[in-house]
Amino acid sequence: MVKLTMLARVTDGLPLAEGLDDGRDWQDAELYKQQIKALFKNLSRGQNEPSRMSVETGPYIFHYIIEGRVCYLTMCDRAYPKKLAFQYLEDLKNEFERVNGSQIETAARPYAFIKFDTFIQKTKKLYQDTRTQRNISKLNDELYEVHQIMTRNVQEVLGVGEKLDQVSQMSSRLTSESRMYADKARDLNRQALIRKWAPVAIVIGVVILLYWVRKKIW
């Protein structure tokens, strides 16, 4: 069954809406929410991830689609039919684009479209029981195929992001150290110039002073 649904803007990972669920009927709800947010963060880095993918995590599986700068993600039991999960996401996508499509780019705060939860909950109920005639018909719909959608492990997906973070941190550290060394080099050059020309400046200063004193006396 469908456990959790979240929508986020792909460009920056900003959460847009969530299917509210207190999580009391399943363990480690907060852990999986954190994994979803980490996945959104990875997608916001512009990695070349497929527009449709399934990600295995513990006894559950994330399914997501990316359309129109928005990632629509749901977490289901592993036994829940993949085809239904993606058709559920397609229904959410169509309604969200119809109602909020023009406001996606201007959203400035997390969960700006929290009212969309009403539609999420209504649609979720339609997909919960896989034995209804409606859902059986969807499962038998040969025009909607999901066999080509890639399935990966959450550690594999998030591990790529962690490696990118490490590379980014190393790059930032090297940039900072390079600036520090450049500053030190400029200081050393300045000190060398002072040591080289200070005696000359002193001699010239003394000569000018003596000349000025001599004129005053004479």
Side-chain angles (χ1 to χ4, degrees):
M1 64 187 301
V2 175
K3 292 289 188 180
L4 177 65
T5 304
M6 293 182 73
L7 282 62
R9 189 165 58 197
V10 175
T11 50
D12 56 7
L14 181 75
L16 301 175
E18 179 178 335
L20 297 177
D21 191 328
D22 58 16
R24 286 181 294 184
D25 62 334
W26 47 289
Q27 292 183 339
D28 300 323
E30 199 55 41
L31 167 66
Y32 294 113
K33 287 185 179 181
Q34 291 303 317
Q35 287 184 349
I36 291 172
K37 291 176 181 177
L39 179 58
F40 288 154
K41 182 180 178 183
N42 278 5
L43 293 173
S44 71
R45 294 192 184 100
Q47 295 183 46
N48 295 321
E49 296 289 4
S51 61
R52 281 161 172 73
M53 189 161 72
S54 298
V55 182
E56 296 173 337
T57 175
Y60 304 111
I61 187 164
F62 300 142
H63 301 288
Y64 76 75
I65 63 176
I66 299 174
E67 290 281 350
R69 306 177 306 282
V70 176
C71 179
Y72 304 83
L73 183 147
T74 187
M75 187 179 83
C76 310
D77 295 314
R78 288 207 184 200
Y80 189 80
K82 188 174 184 177
K83 180 179 280 191
L84 284 185
F86 278 96
Q87 288 183 318
Y88 164 67
L89 292 175
E90 290 282 354
D91 286 355
L92 297 185
K93 173 187 74 71
N94 292 337
E95 180 66 8
F96 190 77
E97 286 183 346
R98 185 184 71 81
V99 176
N100 303 306
S102 62
Q103 305 171 55
I104 294 169
E105 286 300 321
T106 56
R109 57 186 175 82
Y111 304 104
F113 307 103
I114 196 65
K115 291 182 179 179
F116 191 67
D117 172 58
T118 303
F119 183 81
I120 293 176
Q121 296 300 336
K122 182 175 70 173
T123 309
K124 180 179 171 182
K125 287 179 181 178
L126 295 175
Y127 281 88
Q128 290 294 60
D129 188 352
T130 60
R131 297 166 298 178
T132 64
Q133 186 58 46
R134 173 186 179 279
N135 288 335
I136 290 174
S137 297
K138 285 183 173 292
L139 286 170
N140 292 329
D141 182 2
E142 295 182 359
L143 296 177
Y144 193 89
E145 290 298 337
V146 295
H147 299 302
Q148 301 301 319
I149 296 177
M150 184 187 301
T151 299
R152 296 172 65 187
N153 181 272
V154 70
Q155 296 303 326
E156 178 187 357
V157 174
L158 297 185
V160 172
E162 289 171 3
K163 289 176 183 177
L164 287 176
D165 276 342
Q166 292 172 1
V167 171
S168 177
Q169 290 171 6
M170 184 179 296
S171 176
S172 297
R173 187 168 62 250
L174 289 173
T175 300
S176 177
E177 290 176 354
S178 296
R179 289 173 180 167
M180 182 177 65
Y181 292 141
D183 290 341
K184 285 184 177 180
R186 281 194 293 270
D187 288 341
L188 289 172
N189 287 335
R190 193 178 302 115
Q191 292 172 15
L193 286 172
I194 290 172
R195 285 195 298 268
K196 180 178 180 179
W197 295 107
V200 177
I202 292 171
V203 170
I204 293 173
V206 170
V207 170
I208 292 172
L209 179 62
L210 291 173
Y211 178 77
W212 181 80
V213 170
R214 185 177 178 183
K215 282 189 66 176
K216 285 289 185 181
I217 294 174
W218 296 99

